[in-house]
Amino acid sequence: MSDKQTMGFQTEAKRLLQLMIHSLYSNREIFLRELISNASDAIDKRRFAAIEDSSLDVGGEGYEIRVDVNEDEKTLTLIDNGIGMSRDDIIENLGTIAKSGTAAFMDQLSGDQQKDSQLIGQFGVGFYSSFIVADRVEVISRKVGEETATRWESTGEDEFSIDAAERDAPGTTVILHLDGEAEEFASSWRVRSVIKKYSDHISVPVLMLETPPSTEDDEEAAPEPSWERINEAKALWTRSRSEVTDDEYTEFYRHVSSDYQDPLSWSHNRVEGKLDYTSLLYVPSQAPFDLWNREAARGLKLYIQRTFIMDDAEQFLPLYLRFVKGVLDSQDLPLNISREILQQSPQVDSLRNAVTKRVLDMLSKMAKSDSEKYQSFWDVFGNVLKEGPGEDFANREKIAELLRFASSHSDDATQNVSLKGYVERMIDGQDAIYYVVADNHVTAKNSPHIEVFRKKGIEVLLLSDRIDDWLMGHLNEFDGKSLKDIAKGELDLGESTEEEKAELEAAKTENEGLLERLKSVLEGKVSEVRPTIRLTDSPACLVVGEHELGAQMRRILEAAGQELPDSEPILEVNTSHGLVKRMDAEQDEDRFADLALILLDQATLAEGSQLEDPASYVARMNKLLVEMSA
Ligand code: ADP
Ligand code: MG
């Protein structure tokens, strides 16, 4: 009895397929890499299953992938003796977009085919890429430990059929019926060259039928073709660095990361001693779409003594290095390790420390030797690395050296100033690293708080990423210099300011009346009104206490729904400013009150905060404008 069944693809599958065909048309050969990669993964999984249950292990010739080209039938067939799939597995794996990554990817699509085509380059396209070259695909698979096989078939349009089938041994066979435009892949030499290109690093032998050159002697029967290995079949990371070319490293990156771009950098190390491991770690050149998704799969491919154990072993990387891809092959961990054991093994902690150090070293080397490349890393992953000082106290110093900021000393918003560079530029008598935090770069750059720093030629770091305030809170100091938010606390610009302190005292006495009047009008809104040395051009600015929440952090927490105690900042006024002088001379108490409120609201606006009562501010301003033009 045949229990043939026809099922519909999820609608996403169809869209994905069309996009893929469109975007990969000029690079169609990659379907072969995907299918070989799947076969190799399946063999890795079977090897792993056989650790527990040796009856699942393959006998005979060992693990292999066979690729068979039939030039007459225009078919290309891949046969592996990996883990195989049950009927349910096939439906799940080849019929639905079950993988969270793919589903999330589909969410990102804009509908603009041009844009979406670029996006797809960032993702593993996987099994569906078969349909780039085939108008019909058959899969016959039998799972290890099961007796029955299943056949899946589809033209890649709306549906697929599923049926009982025969297969002598566990494993999977994929038969591509090549379409008219892809007949080049019905040629052995063409297929062989593509496999060479993509599969040398795969540790499983890939075999093709080779016919030995016929001998001169016509009497003899034509030589029989035999299965020959055509790839190197040695796991790339087990080879020595000097033997591996950049192209091979790049190709391997694509295999482990499902990312189609070139990696930015990699680090390949073999370590013997107390810990015995090999790591091959890559920094991607582009952010994955789910970089900010807490649930996204991340981590290294874990091997133990060359045997594949698991994908996405996240225990070997801290969260702030979650963009790193690669392989970790340990000699010491037990083969029967589970995710639970990984969580609490001291050996895993040591490996994680070692891997973390490798990545940080790779990054600092890059920063030193190729600042342009480092900049492109920073632009993509800087905000992730900024989580580092909070997460990894032990490596705080190292991470701090890798941070880059925008600066008042440069014209654009590029984050390219290091703390080390800043310290080298510090002026005589300066003993702190100054920064300002705002919601965006322009607000930071034009912050009134910077005025005096500009006047004195002191550099200020301009921070405008959401994480920045938090980052600085964990950093505290660098190279013995404290990090100081210039909108907090009393401003002390070092020894050169004795004179200014005297001026400040004088300003206090001279303007006692004005300060008192301001204080009484702004009662309940500010905790104090005092003269300032911060300002040269603006009339006033707001300052919070040294240990209070900064304005940016406040906005973030409020937006997240946190109840915060009311803040009463300090209003600092520039007593030499025309507006402030005019206020001092103002006899009409109502008008004075209007001006005082405007002064406060303007200081609030300048730091990028919202007014509590914008309508009243507008009304007050308009009243003044009308009086002015009267
Ligand atoms: P990915 O490999 O990224 O998971 P694919 O689209 O390439 O995505 O494959 C989907 C799934 O189908 C795989 O995860 C695997 O479970 C299954 N699969 C594909 N090819 C094979 C194969 N040759 N043997 C066993 N399972 C396979
Ligand atoms: Mg795949």
Side-chain angles (χ1 to χ4, degrees), residues 34 37-38 41 126-127:
E34 294 298 332
S37 177
N38 282 351
D41 288 348
F127 172 78

PDB file of all heavy atoms in Angstrom, residues 34 37-38 41 126-127, ligand 2:
ATOM      1  N   GLU A  34      25.737  23.835  -0.601  1.00  0.00           N
ATOM      2  CA  GLU A  34      24.691  23.644   0.411  1.00  0.00           C
ATOM      3  C   GLU A  34      24.381  22.164   0.611  1.00  0.00           C
ATOM      4  O   GLU A  34      24.236  21.685   1.737  1.00  0.00           O
ATOM      5  CB  GLU A  34      23.417  24.390   0.020  1.00  0.00           C
ATOM      6  CG  GLU A  34      23.555  25.903   0.018  1.00  0.00           C
ATOM      7  CD  GLU A  34      23.891  26.460   1.390  1.00  0.00           C
ATOM      8  OE1 GLU A  34      23.523  25.840   2.405  1.00  0.00           O
ATOM      9  OE2 GLU A  34      24.554  27.520   1.445  1.00  0.00           O
ATOM     10  N   SER A  37      27.270  20.396   2.232  1.00  0.00           N
ATOM     11  CA  SER A  37      27.310  20.828   3.618  1.00  0.00           C
ATOM     12  C   SER A  37      26.251  20.083   4.446  1.00  0.00           C
ATOM     13  O   SER A  37      26.521  19.613   5.566  1.00  0.00           O
ATOM     14  CB  SER A  37      27.100  22.342   3.635  1.00  0.00           C
ATOM     15  OG  SER A  37      27.055  22.843   4.904  1.00  0.00           O
ATOM     16  N   ASN A  38      25.055  19.931   3.900  1.00  0.00           N
ATOM     17  CA  ASN A  38      24.007  19.183   4.597  1.00  0.00           C
ATOM     18  C   ASN A  38      24.402  17.717   4.788  1.00  0.00           C
ATOM     19  O   ASN A  38      24.176  17.141   5.860  1.00  0.00           O
ATOM     20  CB  ASN A  38      22.694  19.244   3.812  1.00  0.00           C
ATOM     21  CG  ASN A  38      21.984  20.573   3.992  1.00  0.00           C
ATOM     22  OD1 ASN A  38      22.380  21.395   4.821  1.00  0.00           O
ATOM     23  ND2 ASN A  38      20.947  20.796   3.209  1.00  0.00           N
ATOM     24  N   ASP A  41      26.972  17.558   7.481  1.00  0.00           N
ATOM     25  CA  ASP A  41      26.331  17.743   8.794  1.00  0.00           C
ATOM     26  C   ASP A  41      25.633  16.444   9.227  1.00  0.00           C
ATOM     27  O   ASP A  41      25.682  16.051  10.398  1.00  0.00           O
ATOM     28  CB  ASP A  41      25.270  18.858   8.742  1.00  0.00           C
ATOM     29  CG  ASP A  41      25.895  20.245   8.627  1.00  0.00           C
ATOM     30  OD1 ASP A  41      27.125  20.354   8.815  1.00  0.00           O
ATOM     31  OD2 ASP A  41      25.150  21.205   8.347  1.00  0.00           O
ATOM     32  N   GLY A 126      20.491  27.099   2.103  1.00  0.00           N
ATOM     33  CA  GLY A 126      20.157  25.725   2.443  1.00  0.00           C
ATOM     34  C   GLY A 126      19.587  24.888   1.317  1.00  0.00           C
ATOM     35  O   GLY A 126      19.813  25.138   0.131  1.00  0.00           O
ATOM     36  N   PHE A 127      18.835  23.913   1.736  1.00  0.00           N
ATOM     37  CA  PHE A 127      18.323  22.893   0.833  1.00  0.00           C
ATOM     38  C   PHE A 127      17.548  23.460  -0.357  1.00  0.00           C
ATOM     39  O   PHE A 127      17.641  22.970  -1.477  1.00  0.00           O
ATOM     40  CB  PHE A 127      17.442  21.933   1.630  1.00  0.00           C
ATOM     41  CG  PHE A 127      16.709  20.964   0.770  1.00  0.00           C
ATOM     42  CD1 PHE A 127      17.358  19.858   0.239  1.00  0.00           C
ATOM     43  CD2 PHE A 127      15.371  21.173   0.464  1.00  0.00           C
ATOM     44  CE1 PHE A 127      16.675  18.969  -0.580  1.00  0.00           C
ATOM     45  CE2 PHE A 127      14.681  20.287  -0.353  1.00  0.00           C
ATOM     46  CZ  PHE A 127      15.334  19.184  -0.875  1.00  0.00           C
TER      47      PHE A 127
HETATM   48 MG    MG B   2      22.207  23.331   5.166  1.00  0.00          MG
END
